[in-house]
C-alpha cells in the first residue's frame, strides 16, 4: 500500500526553515486548545492546459460572461470535471475530510471544501488535499493554479474562504 506523509522542514541544527509556518501554527493551536477551534476551508483553484490556457476558454479570447458556470452542468458550462471527481475520490481514499466540490463562476474554476477540522488538523488536511489535486491533475495533463487573480479584469478571483467556529 502507498502512504502519504506530510513533513515539517527543519535545518540540520533543528531550527525551523523560513518556509515552515506549521510550527508557529501548532504553538498557536496549542494555546487555543481549550476552545476547540473548528475550521472549514473552501479552496478555489483554476485548471489550465500546459500552455497556460484556462480550460473552457477560447484561444486568444474570452468566454461568455461569468455566471452560468457556477455549480453548472453540461459540456458548455463546466470544464475539467474528470480531474475534480478523481481528486474527490483520492481525498476520500486518503482519509481527507473533504466535504464537497463545485464548479465556480469562471470557466475552468473549481472549489473543494475540507472540514470541519479542529486546530492544526485543518492545515494538514488542506496541504495534503492540495498535493493530491496537483498530483491527480498530472494524470490528466492539466495544471492547477491557486493564483488569487488568474485573469485580470472583471473575472472572479480564486481564494480560500475560511470558516471558523
Amino acid at each position: 500500500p502507498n502512504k502519504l506523509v506530510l513533513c515539517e522542514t527543519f535545518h540540520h541544527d533543528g531550527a525551523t526553515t523560513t518556509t515552515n509556518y506549521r510550527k508557529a501554527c501548532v504553538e498557536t493551536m496549542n494555546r487555543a486548545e481549550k476552545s476547540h477551534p473548528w475550521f472549514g476551508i473552501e479552496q478555489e483553484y483554476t485548471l489550465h492546459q500546459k500552455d497556460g490556457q484556462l480550460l473552457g476558454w477560447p484561444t486568444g479570447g474570452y468566454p461568455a460572461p461569468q455566471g452560468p458556470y457556477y455549480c453548472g452542468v453540461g459540456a458548455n458550462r463546466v470544464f475539467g470535471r474528470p480531474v475534480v471527481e478523481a481528486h474527490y475520490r483520492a481525498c476520500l481514499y486518503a482519509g481527507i475530510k473533504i466535504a464537497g466540490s463545485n464548479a465556480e463562476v469562471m470557466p475552468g474554476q473549481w472549489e473543494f471544501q475540507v472540514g470541519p477540522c479542529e486546530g492544526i488538523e485543518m492545515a494538514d488536511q488542506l496541504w495534503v488535499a492540495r498535493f493530491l489535486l496537483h498530483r491527480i491533475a498530472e494524470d490528466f495533463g492539466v495544471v492547477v493554479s491557486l493564483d488569487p487573480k488568474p485573469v485580470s479584469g472583471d473575472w472572479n478571483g480564486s481564494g480560500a474562504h475560511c470558516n471558523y467556529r
Side-chain angles (χ1 to χ4, degrees):
N2 297 316
K3 302 283 184 190
L4 292 173
V5 177
L6 175 67
C7 300
E8 286 189 71
T9 55
F10 296 88
H11 290 290
H12 65 86
D13 62 359
T16 56
T17 61
T18 57
T19 57
N20 181 353
Y21 298 105
R22 187 179 187 282
K23 182 176 184 283
C25 187
V26 167
E27 291 168 358
T28 300
M29 290 299 107
N30 287 342
R31 285 193 301 274
E33 185 176 21
K34 289 181 182 176
S35 65
H36 301 283
W38 278 21
F39 299 93
I41 306 257
E42 304 168 32
Q43 177 66 68
E44 294 176 334
Y45 60 94
T46 50
L47 297 175
H48 302 253
Q49 297 173 22
K50 289 184 213 171
D51 66 1
Q53 179 77 25
L54 268 160
L55 294 188
W57 287 57
T59 303
Y62 293 91
Q66 57 192 1
Y69 312 103
Y70 181 69
C71 295
V73 300
N76 62 335
R77 297 226 167 114
V78 294
F79 311 94
R81 189 181 301 278
V83 175
V84 173
E85 291 182 349
H87 171 249
Y88 196 90
R89 286 189 300 274
C91 284
L92 288 174
Y93 185 76
I96 299 299
K97 293 181 180 176
I98 191 162
S101 65
N102 59 273
E104 274 295 334
V105 300
M106 185 172 66
Q109 184 183 38
W110 291 86
E111 171 185 296
F112 67 90
Q113 303 90 31
V114 175
C117 299
E118 190 172 324
I120 191 66
E121 181 187 14
M122 180 70 256
D124 293 346
Q125 295 239 348
L126 183 62
W127 272 111
V128 174
R130 286 173 174 170
F131 166 79
L132 288 170
L133 177 60
H134 285 273
R135 180 57 193 87
I136 294 295
E138 283 180 32
D139 290 342
F140 290 90
V142 172
V143 177
V144 175
S145 174
L146 301 176
D147 186 332
K149 187 67 176 162
V151 179
S152 61
D154 190 26
W155 293 95
N156 241 35
S158 288
H161 306 111
C162 300
N163 301 291
Y164 172 78
R165 185 207 64 84

